[in-house]
Amino acid sequence: GGAIITSNLLSNTLCKFQNINNSSKFIISTAISITENKITCPTPEWDLDDSIDEEIVYVYISINGQDFSPSITSSQLIPLTFTYLRDTTFTSLSPTGGPTKGGSSVTLEGFGMKNISSLMCRFGEDSEMIVSATYLNKFQILCKTIEKSILTLSNIVKVYTSLNGQNFVDSGLFFEFYSSPNITSIDVNGGINEGGTIVTLSGTGFDVFGEIGITKCR
C-alpha cells in the first residue's frame, strides 16, 4: 500500500479497491486531495495470497461515502484497474562500490523480480540519484549509477528499488561511492607477448575501495 492513485472525476471523496472475481473482498481508502477534476487516494495494504505474486483489482469511487461507481465512464462502465505486486526480496549486489563519476553497472540479486517498465533504483536518499532498472531475469535486475557530485562523510549509501517509480523500498543492501584512482607512472613499459611480466602502477587512491581479488588491470 501507499501508492498514490489519481482519478479524473468531479467531487470525489472515497476510493474502493475491489477483487475482480470476489466483490466481497475490498478495501476503502479516503481521499487525501480533491480538486475540481481530480481525487487522490492512497492505496491501502492488500493481502496477497501466498500462491500469487500480484493481483489486479478494480477501482471504484464514491462522492457520498456510500454509493460506489466505476472509476471510468464509458458505454460499458468498465472500471479502471490497479495491480498490487508482492515486494521483491534482495540478497546481494555486485559490484558493491563504484566511482563517483557514475557508469557502474550494478546487478542486484534476489527473488521475485518483476519485468515492468517502471522498475527503478535509487542510490541513497537523494531523488537525483534515481535511475531506471533493467530486468534481467526473475532473480536479477541491473541498475547503472549516475554521477554523485557531492561526497558524504561515509560515501556508503543504501540502495532502494521501486516497482512503480513512486514507492521506494529499502533493499537492505549498500553501495559505496569512491573517487577514481589517479595513475601517475608505470615501472615497466614493455614485456614479452607470452605475458607474465609484473607491472607496478604508481599513483593515489588505490586503497580507497580496492582489495586483492577485486582490483583488476586492463
Side-chain angles (χ1 to χ4, degrees):
I4 303 299
I5 302 300
T6 301
S7 179
N8 294 321
L9 290 175
L10 296 175
S11 303
N12 300 310
T13 57
L14 298 177
C15 295
K16 180 169 74 171
F17 300 83
Q18 177 181 301
N19 182 282
I20 290 180
N21 300 314
N22 181 5
S23 61
S24 64
K25 182 181 180 182
F26 64 86
I27 302 179
I28 295 175
S29 173
T30 302
I32 59 174
S33 176
I34 300 172
T35 65
E36 183 180 1
N37 62 351
K38 286 186 180 182
I39 175 175
T40 300
C41 292
T43 58
E45 183 176 357
W46 188 269
D47 185 22
L48 287 174
D49 293 337
D50 293 338
S51 60
I52 60 175
D53 287 330
E54 63 180 57
E55 185 172 346
I56 300 175
V57 299
Y58 285 139
V59 181
Y60 295 88
I61 57 93
S62 172
I63 62 173
N64 66 0
Q66 180 176 345
D67 301 302
F68 287 88
S69 304
S71 52
I72 185 170
T73 301
S74 69
S75 59
Q76 297 179 338
L77 294 178
I78 301 174
L80 292 171
T81 62
F82 178 82
T83 303
Y84 278 98
L85 301 169
R86 189 179 302 280
D87 283 346
T88 304
T89 301
F90 293 94
T91 57
S92 65
L93 81 169
S94 178
T96 56
T100 56
K101 67 180 181 180
S104 299
S105 295
V106 183
T107 301
L108 283 77
E109 296 188 350
F111 303 94
M113 308 298 174
K114 309 295 190 302
N115 188 11
I116 52 180
S117 60
S118 55
L119 191 62
M120 293 184 178
C121 292
R122 189 182 77 207
F123 293 87
E125 310 301 324
D126 193 343
S127 61
E128 294 183 357
M129 298 301 291
I130 295 175
V131 297
S132 296
T134 301
Y135 173 86
L136 299 180
N137 53 60
K138 62 181 180 180
F139 302 110
Q140 295 178 320
I141 61 173
L142 180 69
C143 299
K144 182 169 287 189
T145 63
I146 57 178
E147 183 177 4
K148 185 176 186 296
S149 58
I150 301 177
L151 291 176
T152 61
L153 292 177
S154 66
N155 301 324
I156 300 174
V157 299
K158 287 184 177 181
V159 179
Y160 298 85
T161 62
S162 175
L163 298 174
N164 61 5
Q166 182 183 119
N167 303 106
F168 283 85
V169 178
D170 186 350
S171 68
L173 304 173
F174 294 86
F175 186 84
E176 181 177 357
F177 285 95
Y178 57 81
S179 298
S180 298
N182 179 42
I183 301 173
T184 57
S185 65
I186 182 172
D187 70 332
V188 179
N189 292 319
I192 57 175
N193 66 324
E194 285 86 354
T197 302
I198 303 300
V199 177
T200 299
L201 303 172
S202 299
T204 58
F206 298 136
D207 60 349
V208 173
F209 180 80
E211 58 185 72
I212 301 300
I214 296 179
T215 302
K216 294 177 172 62
C217 296
R218 185 175 69 178

